[in-house]
Structure formats: C-alpha cells, structure tokens
Amino acid sequence: MTAHSTRSPSDDAASGSGDQKPVEQDRDYRVQDYIQPLAFPAGAIVLALALSTVWNMAPVDAFLLSFLVVTVGLQGIWAFLGHYFKADMVAALIGWPAGNPFQTEIAFANLAFGILGLLCVVYRGEFWIATAIGISIFLLGAASVHIRDIRERGNLNPANAGGILVTDILTPLALLGLLALRYLL
C-alpha cells in the first residue's frame, strides 16, 4: 500500500466539478518514482528469510507476519505520511488534481491499516485474517481504479501505473495465499 488514492478524475466529474484529465507534469519521472513501492515487499521477503532461518519460525508464518508488518504496517504508515503531509506531491505522482480533501480520508484509511499491520506483531490468529482480508479488499479496489484510469485516460504516471499497481495486486494475492497455506492446508 503506498501513497495512492482511490479517487479518480471521473469521480470529480460525477460530483459536478467538471471532466478532468490526469495532471501533466513539468518534470521527467525517475525510475525510482515507478519502483519505490516495491521496496516494501522486498523488505518483507528479507525479514521473512531472517525470521525463518535465524529465529527458526515456520516459513509460512514468517512470510505472513513479515508481509503483514512491512507491506501492510510500514507501507500503510508511509502512505499516510504521503497523503497527509505531501498530498499535492502524491496527487501529481498519481496524475490526479491536487487539493482534493478526499486524500485526507485516504491518508487515515492507510493509517488505520498501517496500525493494524504493526499490531500483527502482538496479535495473531483471527487478527491476522481480518487484517489481511481488509487490506486485500482496499488494495484490490485501489488497483481497479488505477487500471480504469490507465484504460480510460492513458494515465501512466508512476503512482498510478508503476510499482504501486503491482503491489496493489500482488500484496493481496500473497497475503491471501499465505493465509490459505496457514489455515486451510
């Protein structure tokens, strides 16, 4: 989860603010603008390997806990910070208009999931299941908005079509797959 919003320009049009297109940027994007969100899953994998090899945690538990703490917890806090304190910059990276107060709502949704992810260190069992299902619904919903914006407006800005889109899809798949391995098999 990263700094991204689930509100598209078409949502603004539906609310009567006019048909808006993705915001064009004056600058060239850097590779890191597209791949930065991939650092969180990479960090989760490194942590999981350490938990399973150094601390002898069962591999499925190690990967599930690591993904919950890093890609839900830390990435959620990171997304909150971006949407709340750098809202206009994040909007520009997504390719959407700045100044939308809806980003504050997204900031607090990311903060809520971030805290839930971090609490997975303390709470286990059904808490992990609820956290994984909740964030999966949120992220897959965000991915559908990003894909729609790519199809309808050609919005290939980094925080719409870059690493964030990849993590919005792969994080839920990883979490739900790990839950299935842990609780169903």
Side-chain angles (χ1 to χ4, degrees):
M1 180 174 51
T2 68
H4 67 282
S5 174
T6 58
R7 186 168 177 90
S8 72
S10 63
D11 295 331
D12 292 330
S15 67
S17 63
D19 188 25
Q20 299 187 14
K21 296 184 184 201
V23 176
E24 295 296 325
Q25 291 300 302
D26 304 7
R27 69 183 190 101
D28 293 325
Y29 292 113
R30 300 166 295 180
V31 171
Q32 72 186 36
D33 293 331
Y34 287 92
I35 64 170
Q36 179 275 329
L38 301 175
F40 290 98
I45 291 168
V46 169
L47 178 60
L49 292 172
L51 289 174
S52 64
T53 57
V54 176
W55 287 284
N56 295 319
M57 182 181 269
V60 171
D61 287 351
F63 276 89
L64 183 55
L65 178 61
S66 296
F67 268 82
L68 287 166
V69 171
V70 178
T71 65
V72 178
L74 296 178
Q75 193 167 7
I77 301 296
W78 182 257
F80 162 75
L81 294 171
H83 278 288
Y84 193 79
F85 295 106
K86 302 269 189 183
D88 290 348
M89 181 188 79
V90 170
L93 281 171
I94 298 170
W96 292 341
N100 189 332
F102 187 74
Q103 266 189 278
T104 304
E105 292 181 22
I106 292 300
F108 284 105
N110 279 297
L111 179 61
F113 281 117
I115 291 170
L116 290 173
L118 295 178
L119 286 173
C120 288
V121 170
V122 177
Y123 301 105
R124 307 288 169 129
E126 287 82 16
F127 191 84
W128 284 10
I129 296 169
T131 301
I133 290 172
I135 194 65
S136 294
I137 293 166
F138 177 73
L139 292 177
L140 291 172
S144 72
V145 172
H146 292 304
I147 291 168
R148 185 179 72 217
D149 204 35
I150 292 167
R151 267 195 352 253
E152 293 177 1
R153 290 174 187 74
N155 183 354
L156 298 176
N157 284 34
N160 193 63
I164 198 65
L165 180 58
V166 173
T167 61
D168 281 355
I169 295 168
L170 293 184
T171 297
L173 294 177
L175 287 170
L176 297 174
L178 289 164
L179 281 177
L181 287 173
R182 186 171 198 268
Y183 292 104
L184 299 177
L185 301 178

